[in-house]
């Protein structure tokens, strides 16, 4: 069994998925992971499918050098409306989510109530190629793959907050103002 970076509090109510040496850029994968962290499984799947179709955008927050501005990025709280549609990273994350979903079904978890509780992207060892330059020189041509691991947890059904009959707390200033409006009591 492979060790994850984080263990869940309740292993019976969670499922895991991970990928090693994935041939997609680490930087875009990190941004995709941050975009879907905390989402429900169905919502994250729909969001990533929309990213592949360029209907929604991934906001670029940390690795944003040379990233263009797009109107879709205004929906997120990102500086400069910077965003991109990393198709390859999004499809790989869709495959990982599909794997996590099947792992949850095997465990007997409720798939519709799964939430991406934890997701981590690490740099993998670079793969080496070469490119040929002028005057007979050769330069490295490296790719930046990544390792991804995620943990999805089954959430309890959302319970509506019941109304308390207790009066709301008021500040002392507010109470003093109300007493002043009513006038002196005799």
């Amino acid at each position: 069994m492979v060790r994850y970076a984080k263990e869940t509090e309740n292993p019976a109510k969670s499922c895991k998925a991970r990928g090693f040496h994935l041939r997609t850029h680490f930087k875009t994968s990190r941004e995709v992971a941050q975009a879907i962290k905390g989402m429900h499984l169905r919502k994250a799947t729909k969001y990533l499918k929309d990213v592949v179709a360029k209907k929604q955008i991934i906001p670029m927050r940390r690795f944003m050098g040379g990233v263009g501005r797009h109107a879709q990025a205004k929906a997120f709280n990102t500086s400069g409306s910077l965003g991109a549609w990393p198709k390859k990273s999004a499809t790989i994350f869709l495959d990982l989510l599909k794997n996590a979903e099947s792992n949850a079904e095997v465990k007997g978890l409720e798939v519709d109530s799964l939430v991406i509780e934890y997701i981590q992207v690490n740099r993998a060892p670079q793969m080496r190629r070469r490119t040929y330059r002028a005057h007979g020189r050769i330069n490295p041509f490296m790719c930046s793959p990544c390792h991804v691991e995620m943990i999805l947890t089954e959430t309890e059904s959302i319970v509506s907050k019941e109304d308390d009959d207790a009066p709301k707390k008021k500040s002392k200033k507010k109470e003093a103002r109300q007493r002043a409006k009513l006038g002196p009591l005799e």
Side-chain angles (χ1 to χ4, degrees):
M1 184 150 155
V2 185
R3 196 176 147 292
Y4 279 69
K6 182 185 175 189
E7 290 302 318
T8 57
E9 291 86 34
N10 191 358
K13 291 278 186 183
S14 62
C15 64
K16 300 175 181 178
R18 74 185 311 174
F20 295 107
H21 302 285
L22 302 174
R23 288 292 300 268
T24 179
H25 295 290
F26 161 74
K27 292 182 178 184
T28 56
S29 298
R30 186 261 174 203
E31 299 295 348
V32 171
Q34 292 305 307
I36 65 170
K37 184 197 285 187
M39 282 188 183
H40 284 272
L41 177 66
R42 299 283 183 227
K43 185 179 177 186
T45 307
K46 184 181 181 310
Y47 176 62
L48 290 177
K49 284 180 181 174
D50 285 348
V51 167
V52 172
K54 291 195 173 185
K55 292 179 186 171
Q56 290 199 52
I57 200 165
I58 298 288
M60 296 294 176
R61 292 194 166 97
R62 179 173 296 171
F63 300 111
M64 53 190 184
V67 176
R69 298 177 180 193
H70 300 285
Q72 286 183 9
K74 290 180 190 173
F76 302 94
N77 189 14
T78 176
S79 60
S81 300
L82 301 173
W85 299 275
K87 185 177 179 181
K88 196 171 182 182
S89 293
T91 51
I92 284 175
F93 273 81
L94 277 169
D95 293 340
L96 280 171
L97 287 174
K98 188 176 179 184
N99 181 247
E101 183 179 346
S102 60
N103 291 345
E105 286 174 358
V106 168
K107 269 186 141 178
L109 299 176
E110 185 66 37
V111 177
D112 291 328
S113 64
L114 286 176
V115 174
I116 302 169
E117 180 191 86
Y118 171 78
I119 190 163
Q120 176 176 308
V121 181
N122 293 330
R123 288 182 194 267
Q126 288 193 319
M127 295 176 178
R128 183 175 289 274
R129 286 184 289 173
R130 56 169 64 173
T131 183
Y132 300 94
R133 309 307 295 266
H135 310 295
R137 291 175 302 136
I138 294 173
N139 280 5
F141 200 73
M142 315 284 266
C143 77
S144 304
C146 61
H147 306 308
V148 179
E149 60 185 50
M150 59 176 72
I151 298 174
L152 285 79
T153 308
E154 190 178 67
T155 57
E156 291 78 30
S157 60
I158 300 166
V159 180
S160 61
K161 186 177 178 183
E162 62 181 65
D163 297 328
D164 291 335
D165 292 333
K168 286 187 175 180
K169 271 190 162 181
K170 293 182 184 177
S171 66
K172 290 181 181 179
K173 260 187 181 178
K174 218 173 199 178
E175 287 177 353
R177 262 192 242 128
Q178 284 182 344
R179 280 196 303 268
K181 280 184 183 176
L182 293 174
L185 296 173
E186 292 179 26

